[in-house]
Amino acid sequence: MTVLVTGGAGYIGMHTVAELVAHGEPVVVVDDLSTGHWPAGLFDVPFYSLDIQDGEAVGTVMARHGVDAVVHFAAKSLVGESVRDPLLYYERNVAATAQLLRAMVRQGVRRMVFSSTAAVYGHPGRVPIQEDDPKQPVNPYGETKLAIERMLRWGGDAYGISAISLRYFNAAGAHPELPIGEDHRPETHLIPILMQVALGQREAVTIFGSDYDTPDGTCVRDYIHVMDLASAHRLALERLRRVDAGVEVYNLGTGSGHSVLEVVRVARSVTGHPIPVAFGPRRAGDPAVLVASPARAQAVLGWRPRYTGMEDMVSTAWRWHKSHPEGFGTAGGP
Ligand code: UDP
């Protein structure tokens, strides 16, 4: 009963590996290292540098390790990049997942936890967003994640695959003890950018838009700690093994939102750095407010986020960035 984690060298994937290992779950990781970093020696789990489009090789890994479930993170995940190069997202997200599912069907592996996103909702008609609200993605990233959710639904019926899609809101923070955290090149996410300003690596943060219909004019997001995302994956796996769940989707957020300016204020207090801001134009495709209703995940998965305060998210992120100013490339390794 081994779990195959695809994209286990990425930010959320790696924290999920840490969570599964801490709970005694046998894990094997495949990642093509196109954007991830594998902290060699930190986890005692087999690692294969593989592209999931190589279904034969991935199938061999499944057979060799007795895999019974896949937690599927491997994907492209930048909204801006997806708008500039949508075919890349259809190839690397949709087509690659079809290859992975083929390998699963061939190997008789019938459980998948899938890494989805709040971007499937587009501009929400109401907040907090519930899972059955309309899905109208406004960029190819969200569109390809939704296409995969639908592929899982059809695949569930046709091949008897049970799947749980987890729609993340804004992942944030870092492992409270292990030397792992967020490291994207180039960095586009708010909290790591604030950490870079506090480290003196950037002059200021540009806030994308100050005239949104929100209390302070800046966008509101539902930030969710990466360790809480990780525990949701573990609970989803447990559910897939316990019941024939069919195909299910769950929002993962705290249910409360923070504006960009609120996050900046918390980052100033956690880091003790003044963190100058500049106001710039809106970023294309940014909805004003994205807040989850996590009620379904709480009721059905028994999920209870632990690190719900913005302080928890920023202080664990700061711990990682301060000790690893160059991310995984920092001298001395992870
Ligand atoms: N944001 C910002 N300046 C930045 C990066 C992000 O104002 O340099 C804002 C962005 O417009 C959004 C929020 O911060 O409202 C979170 O953005 P991020 O890119 O971290 O996550 P996303 O919401 O795209 O998943």
Side-chain angles (χ1 to χ4, degrees):
M1 300 269 276
T2 299
V3 184
L4 170 63
V5 180
T6 75
Y11 169 46
I12 305 173
M14 193 183 299
H15 285 79
T16 300
V17 169
E19 168 81 6
L20 294 174
V21 168
H23 283 79
E25 188 82 57
V27 170
V28 54
V29 172
V30 302
D31 194 299
D32 69 357
L33 296 177
S34 56
T35 53
H37 313 264
W38 183 242
L42 189 60
F43 302 115
D44 186 19
V45 305
F47 174 84
Y48 294 87
S49 175
L50 274 183
D51 186 330
I52 53 164
Q53 292 177 98
D54 186 348
E56 199 152 319
V58 174
T60 304
V61 171
M62 290 177 188
R64 182 179 302 155
H65 294 279
V67 166
D68 77 308
V70 176
V71 184
H72 178 34
F73 294 98
K76 303 300 269 178
S77 63
L78 295 176
V79 168
E81 180 184 57
S82 80
V83 173
R84 286 191 301 277
D85 191 359
L87 288 181
L88 182 69
Y89 279 66
Y90 280 87
E91 290 156 2
R92 301 297 300 276
N93 293 355
V94 183
T97 301
Q99 294 300 321
L100 177 65
L101 286 168
R102 269 268 174 249
M104 287 174 63
V105 171
R106 272 200 304 270
Q107 298 298 330
V109 178
R110 304 204 181 277
R111 300 182 185 98
M112 175 181 277
V113 180
F114 173 59
S115 172
S116 189
T117 169
V120 299
Y121 297 109
H123 295 287
R126 62 166 181 179
V127 287
I129 303 170
Q130 294 182 13
E131 287 84 352
D132 295 332
D133 286 354
K135 266 69 70 187
Q136 282 157 340
V138 292
N139 52 63
Y141 167 60
E143 188 76 50
T144 55
K145 287 286 182 174
L146 183 59
I148 295 168
E149 286 195 0
R150 292 186 169 147
M151 186 176 1
L152 289 172
R153 203 166 281 285
W154 291 112
D157 291 344
Y159 311 112
I161 288 178
S162 306
I164 291 184
S165 288
L166 300 176
R167 294 181 182 150
Y168 317 148
F169 282 63
N170 284 66
H175 198 289
E177 285 132 33
L178 295 179
I180 57 175
E182 200 167 359
D183 181 3
H184 299 114
R185 309 292 163 111
E187 191 52 74
T188 63
H189 296 99
L190 178 63
I191 293 175
I193 285 176
L194 298 174
M195 302 298 96
Q196 290 176 344
V197 178
L199 285 169
Q201 296 173 342
R202 290 179 191 246
E203 296 277 302
V205 58
T206 301
I207 295 183
F208 301 143
S210 53
D211 59 351
Y212 282 98
D213 185 15
T214 59
D216 65 20
T218 65
C219 286
V220 169
R221 292 288 178 274
D222 186 336
Y223 294 88
I224 175 75
H225 197 282
V226 66
M227 291 309 295
D228 288 323
L229 291 181
S231 71
H233 290 76
R234 180 174 54 76
L235 294 169
L237 261 177
E238 283 174 12
R239 177 168 171 78
L240 287 175
R241 285 180 175 150
R242 201 174 52 242
V243 295
D244 185 4
V247 179
E248 297 178 340
V249 296
Y250 297 92
N251 286 338
L252 298 181
T254 63
S256 55
H258 295 272
S259 74
V260 177
L261 277 171
E262 280 170 15
V263 179
V264 170
R265 273 196 292 275
V266 173
R268 284 176 179 153
S269 109
V270 166
T271 64
H273 188 283
I275 310 189
V277 303
F279 288 96
R282 292 182 176 195
R283 186 172 67 175
D286 260 348
V289 181
L290 277 178
V291 175
S293 164
R296 187 187 281 180
Q298 291 173 350
V300 183
L301 297 179
W303 181 59
R304 298 280 175 276
R306 290 173 55 206
Y307 303 85
T308 51
M310 184 45 65
E311 288 266 329
D312 298 330
M313 314 211 198
V314 176
S315 55
T316 53
W318 181 230
R319 176 183 174 275
W320 156 253
H321 285 272
K322 214 172 28 170
S323 57
H324 295 79
E326 303 304 326
F328 287 95
T330 302

